[in-house]
Structures are given as structure tokens and as C-alpha cells.
């Protein structure tokens, strides 16, 4: 039996995972797919693979005219410190009334702070409803960091990949990404071209970036369009699946692969 595995950050793989664990996985696997730059080159069978997203579903809707109501911001993420919601709320408290915030995810513990900045709280949404909200927003904010013991909750040491899956679908829908990049991962998105970078855990810098986004709507729509194109080209599920199948010796374009022929594939 040949095993093909995928290692992504944020799903249990920590930055301080013992390298011998990765080496053991590599030795026992025909292929190790990963989006973590540091793992590439650690073994001949470790190859790059983007986190897939359904690009056809989250079609880009261009924002052609400035919104008279101001800049509409969306945050999508689980209730973990590394997602950066509290940094965003601190930034919102520094802004005037020309900014609107939609928050998607289970953030009931922060209800008072969300109410204080007038956030629309949606909880988790179906893909269809998530898409509708994203189409109404101008900017998706991902102030990502790593969970620290001092946060008081979360998974200490855990850090997500860049950009997060939520950021990718927001970009596909036409939102300009404003994000920190705790992994310093420049393998996919180019700072200033595909997204707007802000330092980690810096609400003042984030507030400034949001003000600039509101004042320079046309430039940020261009960044949004460039970022959406990059994500579509690199991360669409059909592209990622085709690449993986080709690496495993199959081709989804050549023919449909019967289930029986995939018995040696574990992913």
C-alpha cells in the first residue's frame, strides 16, 4: 500500500513539531503534500500543495463605485486568539463612523465588545449565505498571529497557514485582503500587489490601513482583483486536485479514475 498524506498548518501541526516526526512521515509515505514552506526540501517526496478552495462558487463581484455608507469590513474565523478578532475590535474602536463590520463565526463571548463597535454578528453561515455577505463587503481582515499562553485560551503555539481559507474565499468574492503574515510566507501572495500587510497584534496599524483603504477605494479594488486572480489560479480545487492526482500517477483530465484504482491512496 502506498500512502499519500497532506500536512497543513493549523490542524495539529505546530511550529515546534519535532522534525523527526516529519522525517518519519516522509519515510513512510509515497508523497507528502504541504503548504508549509519550511517543510519543502526536508525530503525528496515532500511537494508543495495549496489549500484548495471552490473558486467557481465564490465568484468575484467587482465593487465599481465607492460605497456611500463607508468601508464595509468582514471578519471570518473561529473563536481562537490566533484569528485576530480582538485586534480588529481594538482597531475598530480607533475608527470613526465611516466603517461597518460584519463578523462571521462563534464569537458570543465577545458580544459586549462587538456591540460597542456596532458589528453585525452572523454566527456560522452556510456557504450560500457566507457568499452573500462577502459580496456586500469591501475588505476582508485577517489579523492572524499565533496563540499565546497569555491569551488565556486557544491552542498555545498554534499558527495558521497564510492566507487562511476564510481569507481566500473572501478574496475570491472580491474583497481586498488586509492581513498580517505570521509565517512570513511569500510563496503565494505578494505584499502590496495581492494584499495589504499589517504587523501582528497592532490595532493602530490596522486602523491606519483601514483608513487608507477607505480613502483609496480604486487602488484597493485593484489589489482585490489581483489577489482574487492569484487565488483562483493557484488554489482552485480543480487545480489542486489535478496537481495531486498527477503526482500520484493519475490524471483526472485523461479519464475518470475508478474507486478501486484509488485503494492505495490515503490522503
Amino acid at each position: 500500500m502506498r500512502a499519500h498524506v497532506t500536512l497543513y498548518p493549523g490542524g495539529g501541526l505546530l511550529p515546534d513539531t519535532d522534525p523527526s516526526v516529519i522525517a518519519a512521515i516522509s519515510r513512510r509515505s509515497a508523497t507528502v503534500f504541504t503548504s508549509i514552506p519550511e517543510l519543502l526540501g526536508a525530503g525528496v517526496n515532500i511537494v508543495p500543495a495549496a489549500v484548495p478552495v471552490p473558486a467557481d462558487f465564490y465568484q468575484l463581484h467587482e465593487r465599481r463605485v465607492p460605497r456611500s455608507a463607508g468601508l464595509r469590513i468582514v471578519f471570518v474565523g473561529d473563536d481562537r486568539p490566533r484569528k485576530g478578532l480582538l485586534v480588529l475590535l481594538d482597531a475598530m474602536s480607533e475608527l470613526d463612523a465611516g466603517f461597518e463590520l460584519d463578523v462571521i463565526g462563534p464569537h458570543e463571548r465577545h458580544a459586549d465588545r462587538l456591540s460597542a463597535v456596532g458589528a453585525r454578528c452572523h454566527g456560522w453561515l452556510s456557504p450560500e449565505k457566507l457568499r452573500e455577505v462577502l459580496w456586500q463587503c469591501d475588505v476582508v481582515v485577517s489579523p492572524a498571529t499565533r496563540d499565546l499562553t497569555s491569551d488565556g485560551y486557544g491552542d498555545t503555539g498554534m499558527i495558521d497557514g497564510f492566507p487562511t481559507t476564510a481569507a481566500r474565499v473572501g478574496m475570491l468574492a472580491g474583497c481586498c485582503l488586509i492581513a498580517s503574515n505570521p509565517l512570513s510566507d511569500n510563496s503565494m501572495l505578494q505584499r502590496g500587489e495581492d494584499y495589504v500587510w499589517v504587523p501582528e497584534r497592532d490595532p493602530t496599524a490596522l486602523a491606519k490601513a483601514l483608513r487608507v483603504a477607505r480613502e483609496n477605494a480604486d487602488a484597493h479594488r485593484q489589489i482585490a482583483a489581483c489577489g482574487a486572480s492569484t487565488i483562483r489560479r493557484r488554489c482552485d480545487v480543480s487545480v489542486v486536485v489535478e496537481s495531486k492526482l498527477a503526482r500520484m500517477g493519475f490524471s483526472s483530465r485523461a479519464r475518470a479514475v475508478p474507486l478501486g484504482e484509488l485503494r492505495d491512496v490515503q490522503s
Side-chain angles (χ1 to χ4, degrees):
M1 182 182 73
R2 294 186 301 145
H4 304 272
V5 303
T6 298
L7 295 178
Y8 288 145
L13 183 65
L14 293 166
D16 59 355
T17 297
D18 191 328
S20 66
V21 175
I22 305 300
I25 293 172
S26 178
R27 287 195 304 271
R28 290 166 172 79
S29 305
T31 318
V32 178
F33 298 104
T34 187
S35 62
I36 307 170
E38 291 79 4
L39 295 187
L40 300 176
V44 294
N45 59 344
I46 300 180
V47 297
V51 177
V53 286
D56 286 344
F57 183 80
Y58 293 98
Q59 288 285 347
L60 183 148
H61 277 206
E62 293 186 14
R63 284 65 169 171
R64 297 187 180 278
V65 296
R67 292 180 55 83
S68 59
L71 190 76
R72 188 161 172 181
I73 303 158
V74 62
F75 173 91
V76 187
D78 201 359
D79 181 19
R80 293 292 185 271
R82 67 180 180 273
K83 304 297 184 181
L85 176 60
L86 295 184
V87 175
L88 175 55
L89 293 179
D90 286 341
M92 292 295 297
S93 69
E94 299 184 23
L95 299 174
D96 58 27
F99 299 84
E100 306 173 35
L101 175 62
D102 289 79
V103 173
I104 299 169
H107 300 291
E108 294 80 5
R109 76 164 75 209
H110 307 300
D112 290 344
R113 294 202 59 191
L114 290 164
S115 177
V117 299
R120 302 180 187 89
C121 301
H122 301 273
W124 284 129
L125 297 177
S126 67
E128 291 79 10
K129 291 183 178 179
L130 171 61
R131 183 177 58 183
E132 289 296 325
V133 173
L134 293 174
W135 280 343
Q136 298 302 314
C137 294
D138 305 294
V139 168
V140 57
V141 175
S142 179
T145 185
R146 71 180 65 221
D147 288 345
L148 303 176
T149 303
S150 57
D151 291 323
Y153 70 106
D155 308 305
T156 299
M158 187 71 76
I159 188 169
D160 291 328
F162 176 80
T164 65
T165 301
R168 296 175 197 224
V169 299
M171 295 170 73
L172 285 170
C175 297
C176 177
L177 174 63
I178 297 180
S180 49
N181 185 352
L183 288 173
S184 298
D185 182 357
N186 302 309
S187 62
M188 182 179 302
L189 301 184
Q190 298 303 307
R191 175 175 165 180
E193 297 180 12
D194 297 303
Y195 79 108
V196 175
W197 176 84
V198 291
E200 292 178 59
R201 297 181 182 253
D202 190 337
T204 298
L206 178 54
K208 180 179 179 180
L210 291 168
R211 292 190 193 97
V212 172
R214 181 186 174 191
E215 295 165 2
N216 297 274
D218 289 340
H220 282 70
R221 279 195 288 271
Q222 291 177 7
I223 293 174
C226 184
S229 176
T230 298
I231 294 298
R232 177 176 295 277
R233 186 175 68 253
R234 301 283 299 276
C235 304
D236 179 48
V237 62
S238 63
V239 173
V240 177
V241 169
E242 175 64 28
S243 175
K244 285 187 172 183
L245 287 175
R247 179 72 187 193
M248 292 186 289
F250 302 101
S251 175
S252 62
R253 291 175 182 166
R255 62 187 178 88
V257 180
L259 181 62
E261 294 183 27
L262 293 176
R263 287 174 180 166
D264 65 339
V265 177
Q266 303 293 323
S267 61

